[in-house]
Amino acid sequence: QVQLVESGGGLVQSGGSLRLSCAASGSIYSCTMAWHRQAPGKQREFVASITSSGRLNVADSVRGRFAISTDNAKNMAYLQMNALKPEDTGTYYCNAVHHFLGSSWGVGTLVTVSS
């Protein structure tokens, strides 16, 4: 399993943008990378994923505003978040899933969107 560390969270006004980064301790070449989020008092929910072949999946709530990408050479995953809304507030978690090695999670980075 790889160790994951998220960064890039912070406080932003509604309509603003943030770019989250996820640094992996090892190769993510064969992993499906994903971002999930958890709002205060709510369950963790799926945001977006990208498979090793580049297939994308994005939650309806963020489609057209958020984009996931990876840089396999740098073992990095990113989440570009545009047109942020207060309801996007939460802790964002990076997730790496490998078919044989299992799933890894980062500790999360907090995003707060003010109205």
Side-chain angles (χ1 to χ4, degrees):
Q1 293 182 335
V2 295
Q3 306 297 315
L4 303 173
V5 179
E6 303 95 336
S7 61
L11 175 64
V12 62
Q13 288 188 333
S14 181
S17 298
L18 282 175
R19 187 195 194 203
L20 306 184
S21 298
C22 172
S25 61
S27 174
I28 62 170
Y29 180 78
S30 298
C31 295
T32 291
M33 301 301 297
W35 289 91
H36 299 251
R37 67 185 181 186
Q38 187 167 17
K42 296 186 178 181
Q43 289 188 330
R44 191 173 299 189
E45 65 176 1
F46 169 81
V47 175
S49 66
I50 181 169
T51 69
S52 57
S53 61
R55 187 174 64 189
L56 300 173
N57 189 19
V58 181
D60 289 343
S61 59
V62 304
R63 186 171 292 117
R65 301 188 296 122
F66 290 12
I68 186 172
S69 62
T70 55
D71 185 335
N72 289 331
K74 297 181 179 179
N75 296 326
M76 295 289 294
Y78 304 97
L79 184 69
Q80 178 66 44
M81 306 187 295
N82 299 324
L84 283 160
K85 305 175 182 181
E87 52 263 44
D88 295 319
T89 293
T91 300
Y92 284 69
Y93 298 91
C94 181
N95 172 233
V97 180
H98 189 279
H99 184 73
F100 297 110
L101 301 179
S103 179
S104 299
W105 291 88
V107 297
T109 185
L110 179 63
V111 172
T112 303
V113 184
S114 63
S115 57

